[in-house]
Amino acid sequence: MKILLLFSFTIILLQPLFAQDCYVFRVDTVECPEVLEKDCPDMKFLGKNVSIKMAQFYKVYTREIDLGPPAHISSMEIDKPDLYYSIKKLSKYYTKSLKKGLLDQHEAEKELNGILEKCIAIYSQETQPIENELKLAGNPEEILSVFNKITVE
């Protein structure tokens, strides 16, 4: 039992060493769901285009589940939570950077929009290695480096 525990702990510690340099996904078509402007999150610092793309991202990665009787309450289920929460962290990071004047508005919109497009495109693909890397990423810069490794063809 001790050997098994030691082996699994070693594998977890060595996981960053096995990270890939690049993730290439071949996607034939990307279906972006239609969203209404009223359904878009309020992102006044990041602009309308990012707000629409973020709403599309939310629509792809989440779904409502009706819990049924007796409560009749609906709940939200998140697919690929590591990707989902990493995008939420990046959104906050870009918003704070724009508020502080550390980033150019156009550059921030372009970067976040590109990341959101990648996430929507790879939704149906096997993304477990990326999710493992995102689990280990501690700050927005590390998350950005993981997303910069993704190439969609």
Side-chain angles (χ1 to χ4, degrees), residues 47-128:
K48 184 179 175 183
N49 290 337
V50 174
S51 179
I52 290 171
K53 194 58 76 176
M54 188 69 84
Q56 290 173 336
F57 172 80
Y58 289 153
K59 199 166 192 174
V60 169
Y61 278 82
T62 61
R63 63 178 166 267
E64 266 191 48
I65 297 174
D66 185 19
L67 298 177
H72 293 291
I73 299 172
S74 62
S75 178
M76 185 176 71
E77 182 178 55
I78 299 171
D79 291 332
K80 303 184 181 191
D82 296 315
L83 281 166
Y84 180 84
Y85 289 116
S86 294
I87 290 295
K88 295 211 30 125
K89 279 184 185 178
L90 284 181
S91 170
K92 288 179 185 177
Y93 167 75
Y94 280 116
T95 302
K96 286 180 182 179
S97 296
L98 286 171
K99 283 181 182 178
K100 292 178 181 178
L102 301 174
L103 282 176
D104 177 48
Q105 169 110 21
H106 180 70
E107 179 184 329
E109 285 179 18
K110 182 180 172 186
E111 285 180 18
L112 188 56
N113 208 18
I115 290 170
L116 289 168
E117 286 175 1
K118 288 178 185 179
C119 287
I120 292 171
I122 66 171
Y123 172 73
S124 61
Q125 306 290 318
E126 175 57 41
T127 58
Q128 193 60 46

Side-chain angles (χ1 to χ4, degrees), residues 34-43 48-49 51-52 55:
E34 293 294 322
V35 293
L36 301 173
E37 195 169 323
K38 67 179 178 90
D39 295 334
C40 297
D42 184 25
M43 303 181 88
K48 184 179 175 183
N49 290 337
S51 179
I52 290 171

